[in-house]
Amino acid sequence: MTRDHETGFILPQYSRHLPAHLDQESINFLTEKGALCVPATCFRNNLFTSYAHHVHSDLPLLDLNGLIRPIIQNDKDHSISLLLLQAVLFAASAFVNIEDIQAAGFESRIQARTTFFQRARLLYDFDYEEDRLTLTQSLLLMSYWEESPRGPKDGCHWLGLSLGVAQTIGLHRKPHFADEDTARIRTRLWWCIYARDCLMALDMRPSMHISSVEFDTRPLTIDHFELELSAATVNSTGYSGLLGNAEHQRSLAVIFLRK
């Protein structure tokens, strides 16, 4: 754990520092609401396992190594976004074993999902995240919110926000980055937004958000996927022959490409 010297609030060492614009009153409010809290290690890792197996395999919008390795190694030099972490935990809570949810003190899956979603939503409302790529990823994960279908801020609302931020950083255009890793995750993220938009239109019957958006992002290929997870990532997400198998990861990538 590390202490933010200006506010006195203690954050996990792997979490980015509190943004400078948050005053003490806002920090106290976020703390009271649990938005700055993370689950105990065992439950957190169980959620990571569920995320890797059920969410990432269906919508590979993150670099799993880049998310999980700093947390497991408590690496302050490669800190991650607390908003993104809360969004990941929210998405994973739909799949983690109910026994794990109850052991963590939640009465039901709905309560757990609502709690994690509200934490992510509060961080978003307080402009906690300043990196727009991370914000795009977080909002896309928040589109899994479905407890109030067709409400004013249902999954389609969060998908639309994700798309809007994605356009401001040019994800809908051909990338011009010397860094291949950056170009790869940006391209994959755009096509994840596109795939999510298509599936939500089929499921919930609204019109697609992207149908009226002009874009020339490069076609997605197998080269845009990470096919080998680090040992730290595999071990922390409940090692299985499938998760640690590059050929299995390639098969999942091919399924996503065809979808």
Side-chain angles (χ1 to χ4, degrees), residues 71-186:
I71 296 175
I72 299 305
Q73 298 177 350
N74 208 21
D75 186 355
K76 64 180 179 180
D77 295 324
H78 297 88
S79 56
I80 66 166
S81 164
L82 190 57
L83 170 60
L84 182 59
L85 176 59
Q86 298 289 18
V88 165
L89 298 177
F90 155 68
S93 63
F95 304 97
V96 72
N97 290 335
I98 188 62
E99 292 82 6
D100 295 326
I101 287 176
Q102 293 170 341
F106 297 103
E107 294 181 359
S108 66
R109 187 178 303 278
I110 290 177
Q111 185 190 36
R113 283 175 54 76
T114 301
T115 297
F116 286 119
F117 178 81
Q118 292 298 339
R119 289 176 180 177
R121 179 173 175 172
L122 278 172
L123 294 176
Y124 169 76
D125 287 342
F126 276 76
D127 297 324
Y128 190 92
E129 183 53 55
E130 298 174 342
D131 180 83
R132 294 189 180 185
L133 183 70
T134 301
L135 185 57
T136 302
Q137 293 169 319
S138 302
L139 289 168
L140 186 55
L141 288 172
M142 291 169 70
S143 74
Y144 280 97
W145 179 245
E146 56 188 21
E147 304 307 330
S148 55
R150 300 193 181 280
K153 292 188 177 181
D154 60 3
C156 290
H157 168 81
W158 300 103
L159 174 63
L161 291 177
S162 177
L163 173 60
V165 179
Q167 289 179 273
T168 67
I169 57 174
L171 289 190
H172 60 312
R173 299 302 183 197
K174 291 180 180 178
H176 300 284
F177 295 93
D179 182 354
E180 292 184 5
D181 290 338
T182 299
R184 184 172 63 223
I185 192 63
R186 286 172 62 95

Side-chain angles (χ1 to χ4, degrees), residues 156-254:
C156 290
H157 168 81
W158 300 103
L159 174 63
L161 291 177
S162 177
L163 173 60
V165 179
Q167 289 179 273
T168 67
I169 57 174
L171 289 190
H172 60 312
R173 299 302 183 197
K174 291 180 180 178
H176 300 284
F177 295 93
D179 182 354
E180 292 184 5
D181 290 338
T182 299
R184 184 172 63 223
I185 192 63
R186 286 172 62 95
T187 302
R188 199 167 78 229
L189 177 55
W190 172 258
W191 287 109
C192 282
I193 296 172
Y194 184 87
R196 183 79 177 134
D197 192 22
C198 291
L199 290 175
M200 289 187 73
L202 288 171
D203 182 42
M204 304 180 71
R205 301 185 183 276
S207 58
M208 284 183 60
H209 288 285
I210 297 179
S211 60
S212 60
V213 175
E214 292 185 4
F215 65 94
D216 59 2
T217 305
R218 289 175 180 152
L220 197 63
T221 70
I222 197 72
D223 294 331
H224 290 109
F225 291 80
E226 289 109 16
L227 302 180
E228 294 188 14
L229 300 179
S230 71
T233 300
V234 172
N235 292 335
S236 67
T237 51
Y239 176 80
S240 72
L242 295 180
L243 189 61
N245 188 309
E247 283 305 310
H248 178 67
Q249 298 303 317
R250 175 179 290 273
S251 297
L252 292 176
V254 169

